[in-house]
Amino acid sequence: MNVLLSLKVLLKDLRLGPRSPIFLWAIVFPVVGTLLVQLVFGSLFAPKPRLGIVDQGDSAITAGMRDLEGIQLTLVASPGELTELVRDHNLDAGLILPAGFDEQVRSGAQPVLEFYVSGESLASDRLILAVTTLDLVRAVEGSPAPVQVDVVAMGAPLLPMAARLTPMLVLFALLIAGVFVPAFSLVQEREAGTLTAMLVTPVRATDVLAAKAVLGFALALLMALVTLWLNDALGNEPAALLLAVGVGAIMLAEIGLVYGSASPDAKTLFTLMKSLNIILFAPVIFYIFPDWPQWIAQIFPTYWVINPIFEVAIRDASLGDVAGQLTIALILSALLIPVIVVLSRRMQARLAAA
Amino acid sequence: MNAAVNDPVAPSTGAEPASGAVPAVSVEDLAYRYGDVEAVRGITFEILPGEVFGFLGPNGAGKTTTIRMLTGQLKPYAGTARILGRVVGRDDPETQAHIGVCFEEKNLYDSMSAEENLRFFASLFGIRDLDAGELLRRVGLGDRGKDRVSTYSKGMRQRLMVARALVNRPMVLFLDEPTDGLDPVSSKAIRAIIRDEADRGAAVLLTTHDMWEADELSDRVAFINDGRIYATDTPENLKLRYGKRSVKVRLRDGGAIREETVPLDDPAAGERLRSAVQAEGLMTIHTEESTLENIFVEMTGRALEA
């Protein structure tokens, strides 16, 4: 293989990329997919309740509010500014904590607490903010709660649906960028005859395949990471995540070459994709339906690339936790190499005989 | 040396490449089969540097298969082919660095401009300083170099195909029907380029079923049909050897017009012509020469456009 020639073919593919609908779709899909999932299952249009506080005495209530992830807190300088923000619905509610408020509460006095709500705010947001404020006031007072609330979880502990859909989005990103882009690029070159034109120059078929594989790998790696970032699922170990996504991108780029070299034309490629993509895509369905027997997912080869990504990105697993799965993925990727070699030879023979 | 004839039916002793010169292309008993179908059956020929070799035959005769073997796309079933003294194998970058191929199929990058196409293919030969503008001017596309190929007409694409085959100043040029479907002006321009390339020293293998073009351009031609070469020689020698030389005389005979064909090979031709010229009713005398097409049809029993 000639690395320099592969690079030249790759640069040509990158120049042609923005003119290809598949290439553009590979870039646009993660954004569109994430927006759709967040719209339906996530918090895209369900923002946190927004509370503004004018704290004139360094109250523990402010500190307590700051620690709560479910509330978006804004510290405001003056009561006038606060009421203006609430009136204009830039805040859902506003609270003025006068100097010495905490001491008055602890002494048993019942100071007046001014709590403003925006007329346009959701009732649910008002309720959340009011109840939270009362809880914090009680905590400052130091008195026990009048009742003990026993929280009973119903059903198995589950990740939110948006998190369970993240593997699907990531695998889609890997599939479009890693499989579709190199496969279509190769088939287009075959159909247009430009592959034949290249193969009578010093370029070898292996140089062309390597260029397509690198294109698929790089694009798949980039778009999978972008998808994870858009879904706020980057985990705690960037190196482990990069490795897991990289191994996934390698396997899917290889599958792209298998598809591309096995398909003499776009029609055959579509047929191949329609028949085989369910096998590639099946593992992510098991994240959506956790009641299904999860071991079945392991039958499918892409499980061994998507699960390490899921574990590292969503469940904060370490590299050691997923090393075994990544090794299996690398072995599967290595097994694909002879398949690609055989198919590419057959492709060349077919090209010449066409 | 060059076996001028591969067909037992029509042996030829026609002109061979100048003795002593090293052939740029040397083919010996080359054969290829697609499954059970023998596409090329043991053909032999040579092409010298600076020579235009016309490879003439109808569709399906084996021309393109031969080019595919010579350009390293197909591995010969039997026989050997040498390009610039090197045995051609499948995937041979050393040989392919010195060849230029103009395919019959218009296989260009449509979404790239003409200049981008030429620069990309030049880069595959390691050429960085290609004067794409000059090359495009040669083929009459100087003012369209920056336009996408998708906006080109069929003739413009064909001219760009020829330009692409020249990006590496090849020592051996394979041109598969380079003027097919072109208008007369474009065809003339392409023929001039082919001649220039041969004058530069390139060996040119030109496949065509346009016998007039082959006659005009080729230093030697080979007739190929059904995978066999039937004859190899200069067009002139083929016409002399196989053409029917005759004179057609038209005479007014009473109220009717009579035509008489006098074969020049006929021992009585002189006497017959003399009497025809002296006849009172003589109207016209025409010499009749065979064309390459006539000879091809006579030798192979098959029309070129088939």
Side-chain angles (χ1 to χ4, degrees), chain A residues 45 80 85 123 126 129 141 143 151 247 251 265 276-277 280 353:
Chain A
F45 294 107
L85 287 169
R126 293 179 196 177
L129 293 172
E141 187 188 11
S143 59
V151 178
V247 170
M251 185 195 273
D265 51 46
L276 296 181
N277 275 0
L280 301 182

Side-chain angles (χ1 to χ4, degrees), chain A residues 178-195:
Chain A
V179 177
F180 291 10
V181 168
F184 268 102
S185 176
L186 196 56
V187 167
Q188 274 180 337
E189 299 252 27
R190 286 178 74 168
E191 285 193 311
T194 47
L195 183 58

Side-chain angles (χ1 to χ4, degrees), chain B residues 114-123 127-136 163-164 166-169:
Chain B
E115 284 187 5
E116 284 175 324
N117 267 280
L118 294 185
R119 290 217 172 87
F120 169 63
F121 279 95
S123 75
I127 296 165
R128 291 182 182 174
D129 56 349
L130 176 79
D131 189 346
E134 173 55 28
L135 198 49
L136 288 169
R164 188 181 66 183
L166 302 177
V167 291
N168 59 329
R169 288 177 63 82

Side-chain angles (χ1 to χ4, degrees), chain B residues 140-280:
Chain B
L141 294 172
D143 55 342
R144 296 291 304 272
K146 299 210 182 314
D147 294 347
R148 281 195 185 181
V149 175
S150 55
T151 66
Y152 277 25
S153 67
K154 186 184 174 188
M156 291 165 75
R157 283 167 191 252
Q158 185 61 50
R159 282 184 272 166
L160 182 57
M161 294 279 295
V162 173
R164 188 181 66 183
L166 302 177
V167 291
N168 59 329
R169 288 177 63 82
M171 291 311 299
V172 181
L173 194 51
F174 296 94
L175 304 171
D176 199 353
E177 310 280 0
T179 59
D180 188 35
L182 288 187
D183 61 83
V185 176
S186 299
S187 297
K188 191 176 176 186
I190 297 295
R191 283 196 290 272
I193 289 168
I194 295 171
R195 202 61 256 175
D196 286 349
E197 288 300 305
D199 292 344
R200 176 175 68 77
V204 181
L205 176 62
L206 170 73
T207 78
T208 180
H209 49 243
D210 181 340
M211 288 291 169
W212 181 86
E213 180 174 273
D215 201 350
E216 168 112 347
L217 271 178
S218 307
D219 297 305
R220 286 186 307 131
V221 296
F223 287 159
I224 182 168
N225 185 44
D226 200 22
R228 289 194 184 92
I229 289 181
Y230 281 67
T232 307
D233 214 328
T234 64
E236 205 56 41
N237 282 351
L238 284 170
K239 283 187 279 188
L240 281 172
R241 186 169 304 116
Y242 300 106
K244 287 180 180 168
R245 299 174 307 131
S246 60
V247 173
K248 185 173 275 185
V249 180
R250 294 180 81 192
L251 298 158
R252 195 182 303 278
D253 190 1
I257 293 172
R258 181 164 59 88
E259 272 191 7
E260 189 179 341
T261 302
V262 182
L264 294 178
D265 299 330
D266 183 350
E271 184 57 36
R272 288 177 66 188
L273 278 174
R274 207 168 12 254
S275 59
V277 169
Q278 288 169 353
E280 277 188 15

Side-chain angles (χ1 to χ4, degrees), chain A residues 4-350:
Chain A
L4 193 62
L5 288 175
S6 279
L7 191 64
K8 285 171 181 172
V9 177
L10 174 64
L11 289 175
K12 180 266 298 174
D13 284 343
L14 287 173
R15 265 205 308 276
L16 285 177
R19 303 169 197 176
S20 156
I22 294 289
F23 193 96
L24 292 177
W25 178 231
I27 292 169
V28 168
F29 172 79
V31 180
V32 174
T34 301
L35 282 174
L36 281 172
V37 167
Q38 288 191 359
L39 176 65
V40 178
F41 299 103
S43 57
L44 185 64
F45 294 107
K48 298 170 182 175
R50 300 162 300 165
L51 178 70
I53 292 181
V54 177
D55 190 351
Q56 296 168 330
D58 196 18
S59 169
I61 293 171
T62 305
M65 285 288 186
R66 194 179 283 126
D67 291 342
L68 295 173
E69 285 187 1
I71 290 174
Q72 185 184 323
L73 180 65
T74 306
L75 292 178
V76 182
S78 67
E81 191 184 342
L82 179 79
T83 50
E84 192 176 333
L85 287 169
V86 173
R87 189 181 300 115
D88 295 343
H89 192 53
N90 290 319
L91 293 171
D92 293 309
L95 194 62
I96 299 174
L97 297 167
F101 178 79
D102 290 9
E103 288 74 21
Q104 287 181 54
V105 169
R106 286 189 197 106
S107 67
Q110 290 183 317
V112 176
L113 186 62
E114 293 175 62
F115 187 80
Y116 302 93
V117 292
S118 165
E120 295 177 49
S121 64
L122 296 172
S124 57
D125 289 346
R126 293 179 196 177
L127 189 65
I128 290 166
L129 293 172
V131 170
T132 308
T133 303
L134 287 175
D135 278 352
L136 288 170
V137 169
R138 184 163 288 123
V140 168
E141 187 188 11
S143 59
V147 292
Q148 186 180 328
V149 179
D150 198 2
V151 178
V152 180
M154 303 297 290
L158 285 179
L159 285 167
M161 182 56 97
R164 283 184 281 144
L165 285 171
T166 301
M168 183 190 76
L169 292 170
V170 174
L171 190 58
F172 250 134
L174 285 170
L175 210 61
I176 295 173
V179 177
F180 291 10
V181 168
F184 268 102
S185 176
L186 196 56
V187 167
Q188 274 180 337
E189 299 252 27
R190 286 178 74 168
E191 285 193 311
T194 47
L195 183 58
T196 308
M198 276 195 279
L199 296 181
V200 295
T201 71
V203 170
R204 308 275 53 83
T206 46
D207 303 331
V208 178
L209 290 178
K212 306 288 180 198
V214 171
L215 174 72
F217 167 78
L219 199 58
L221 182 71
L222 177 69
M223 295 323 297
L225 289 173
V226 166
T227 308
L228 288 167
W229 173 68
L230 288 173
N231 285 276
D232 196 21
L234 291 172
N236 289 329
E237 290 204 26
L241 186 66
L242 196 63
L243 189 67
V245 176
V247 170
I250 288 172
M251 185 195 273
L252 289 164
E254 285 186 349
I255 293 170
L257 291 189
V258 170
Y259 277 18
S261 45
S263 308
D265 51 46
K267 195 178 166 189
T268 312
L269 179 61
F270 271 118
T271 309
L272 202 63
M273 284 178 168
K274 277 192 278 187
S275 348
L276 296 181
N277 275 0
I278 185 65
I279 295 171
L280 301 182
F281 203 66
V284 294
I285 300 170
F286 289 82
Y287 295 103
I288 302 168
F289 301 103
D291 293 341
W292 291 7
Q294 296 295 300
W295 63 267
I296 296 174
Q298 298 180 14
I299 296 170
F300 303 98
T302 42
Y303 169 84
W304 302 101
V305 295
I306 200 62
N307 199 56
I309 295 172
F310 176 75
E311 293 292 335
V312 174
I314 309 279
R315 294 195 191 280
D316 296 332
S318 67
L319 183 57
D321 297 333
V322 295
Q325 295 179 41
L326 289 177
T327 305
I328 294 173
L330 285 170
I331 291 169
L332 290 172
S333 300
L335 291 174
L336 281 174
I337 292 172
V339 178
I340 294 167
V341 170
V342 169
L343 286 173
S344 70
R345 282 184 185 158
R346 209 177 70 170
M347 175 187 77
Q348 269 187 282
R350 279 185 175 179

